[in-house]
């Protein structure tokens, strides 16, 4: 079976989408609670979270040792009778990218 680059990108985004959505919800909650005091710019922080999250997930999968990547790789899950995949690496990457996006997402 041949996987084309566009299919690989679509699969990667499908696996990172739940983690990205959760990270953006946490970012929205932080902005709603502390945004005025922090000087947080929500669009800048959200775009940084998406870019850093995808970048960190790719770097973890490419450069991490095999002992670490294997538990963070693809997992099968059944939701309402449908078989699908999820990747814990997306949640780890978003957890690491959130503080960085909060710090760099501040305005002047």
């Amino acid at each position: 079976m041949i996987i084309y680059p566009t299919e690989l990108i679509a699969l990667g985004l499908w696996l990172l989408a739940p983690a990205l959505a959760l990270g953006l919800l946490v970012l929205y909650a932080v902005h709603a609670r502390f945004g005025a005091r922090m000087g947080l710019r929500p669009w800048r922080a959200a775009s940084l979270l998406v870019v850093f999250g995808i970048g960190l997930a790719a770097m973890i999968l490419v450069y991490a040792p095999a002992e670490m990547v294997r538990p963070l790789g693809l997992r099968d899950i059944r939701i309402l009778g449908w078989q699908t995949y999820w990747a814990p690496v997306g949640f780890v990457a978003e957890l690491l990218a959130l503080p960085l996006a909060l710090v760099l997402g501040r305005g002047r």
Side-chain angles (χ1 to χ4, degrees):
M1 184 168 112
I2 297 174
I3 296 180
Y4 295 102
T6 53
E7 293 173 339
L8 185 62
I9 291 170
L11 178 65
L13 290 177
W14 168 258
L15 293 173
L16 293 177
L20 284 172
L22 185 63
L24 290 173
L25 283 174
V26 169
L27 186 67
Y28 175 75
V30 168
H31 173 67
R33 179 81 169 114
F34 304 108
R37 279 188 272 161
M38 288 177 60
L40 189 67
R41 296 201 176 195
W43 288 106
R44 180 189 298 177
S47 61
L48 287 171
L49 181 71
V50 169
V51 169
F52 288 147
I54 291 172
L56 282 172
M59 285 181 16
I60 288 171
L61 289 175
V62 171
Y63 294 113
E67 298 84 26
M68 186 176 132
V69 174
R70 200 165 288 127
L72 293 177
L74 291 176
R75 305 275 178 164
D76 289 330
I77 190 171
R78 220 172 163 80
I79 300 175
L80 300 175
W82 291 87
Q83 187 76 24
T84 187
Y85 299 108
W86 75 289
V89 71
F91 293 96
V92 171
E94 290 301 316
L95 181 68
L96 293 173
L98 186 63
L100 191 60
L102 285 173
V103 169
L104 295 177
R106 290 183 177 177
R108 296 179 203 245

